[in-house]
Amino acid sequence: AQSVTQLDSQVPVFEEAPVELRCNYSSSVSVYLFWYVQYPNQGLQLLLKYLSGSTLVKGINGFEAEFNKSQTSFHLRKPSVHISDTAEYFCAVSDGSNDYKLSFGAGTTVTVRA
Amino acid sequence: NAGVTQTPKFQVLKTGQSMTLQCAQDMNHEYMSWYRQDPGMGLRLIHYSVGAGITDQGEVPNGYNVSRSTTEDFPLRLLSAAPSQTSVYFCASSYSAGQYGYTFGSGTRLTVV
């Protein structure tokens, strides 16, 4: 089974500053990678996904992520955050051979301050 | 579209009581899963189903049962509630999780006293 490590549990950031959330996963021949966002008291919403092809993936709300196979990483970035980006972010991985089973990281809480 | 609907949104149980968390989806998705979310631990898979009549255990199945008699519904049963089952429970569905990711319900916050 895949394991997922989100390297930062809390990331405070000022409004309009850039943010990077780090995610590493255990190696596999083929993986599908996801980032989800959870706003307070809500369910999870898909931000973006990597299935194959270009290693730079663009998602909703100005987020993007870069897949690095050699470093088994899938870091999430946004060049300029807003107060409304305050949320918890989860990295998730599914093994290509068992793609219905998602493994989640522990989450990173992003707090955007004015 | 309703998407994934979970009921109830909140529940308080006494130790030893049983209950069923309901989950329904209207997207004709084959894959459905139950996760629990605990602080600092992310989401952990309890049970999953790849179609009607087919279920299997995830990483934390003890104390929970599931069944999948229809494509739409995937209820989660707590057999004898324990304080360790205090958590937020999410149901999710997908046409094909690897291709599209899962659509999540809004969650059920369960407290066992």
Side-chain angles (χ1 to χ4, degrees):
Chain A
Q2 287 284 345
S3 67
V4 184
T5 302
Q6 291 184 241
L7 298 166
D8 307 290
S9 60
Q10 308 254 1
V11 174
V13 58
F14 287 106
E15 194 174 20
E16 298 184 6
V19 70
E20 178 180 76
L21 309 184
R22 296 177 294 169
C23 173
N24 288 95
Y25 61 94
S26 57
S27 181
S28 178
V29 175
S30 65
V31 293
Y32 301 131
L33 298 155
F34 305 85
W35 276 99
Y36 285 86
V37 60
Q38 184 181 32
Y39 299 106
N41 300 312
Q42 294 187 25
L44 276 73
Q45 179 182 356
L46 182 65
L47 269 180
L48 50 77
K49 62 188 177 189
Y50 172 81
L51 305 180
S52 63
S54 172
T55 58
L56 185 63
V57 180
K58 294 190 182 297
I60 62 171
N61 300 339
F63 284 93
E64 62 182 31
E66 186 158 16
F67 169 60
N68 188 317
K69 186 174 182 178
S70 63
Q71 297 186 5
T72 59
S73 67
F74 190 54
H75 300 335
L76 180 71
R77 303 185 183 95
K78 186 170 183 178
S80 176
V81 296
H82 303 289
I83 298 289
S84 59
D85 292 321
T86 294
E88 190 160 19
Y89 294 80
F90 292 95
C91 181
V93 179
S94 68
D95 197 307
S97 60
N98 290 294
D99 65 0
Y100 42 82
K101 296 172 73 173
L102 280 183
S103 297
F104 284 84
T108 298
T109 299
V110 173
T111 303
V112 182
R113 301 168 179 166
Chain B
N1 289 338
V4 179
T5 302
Q6 289 185 239
T7 56
K9 293 190 182 301
F10 302 94
Q11 183 71 48
V12 179
L13 287 179
K14 293 182 179 179
T15 298
Q17 287 185 316
S18 62
M19 78 160 294
T20 299
L21 279 61
Q22 301 292 344
C23 176
Q25 53 92 6
D26 61 357
M27 298 171 283
N28 202 32
H29 286 170
E30 289 296 322
Y31 300 120
M32 296 187 75
S33 296
W34 276 102
Y35 289 87
R36 60 177 288 172
Q37 182 181 23
D38 301 291
M41 303 186 75
L43 281 79
R44 292 180 292 169
L45 182 63
I46 304 171
H47 286 283
Y48 64 95
S49 170
V50 298
I54 306 170
T55 64
D56 206 346
Q57 297 181 349
E59 62 180 299
V60 288
N62 291 342
Y64 308 95
N65 272 355
V66 292
S67 60
R68 185 98 179 269
S69 57
T70 67
T71 299
E72 294 78 19
D73 300 299
F74 191 43
L76 178 72
R77 298 182 185 85
L78 279 70
L79 308 173
S80 177
S84 61
Q85 293 178 304
T86 293
S87 187
V88 181
Y89 291 85
F90 287 101
C91 178
S93 74
S94 177
Y95 174 73
S96 170
Q99 296 283 330
Y100 303 105
Y102 273 97
T103 298
F104 282 81
S106 58
T108 295
R109 186 174 295 274
L110 175 68
T111 302
V112 182
V113 297

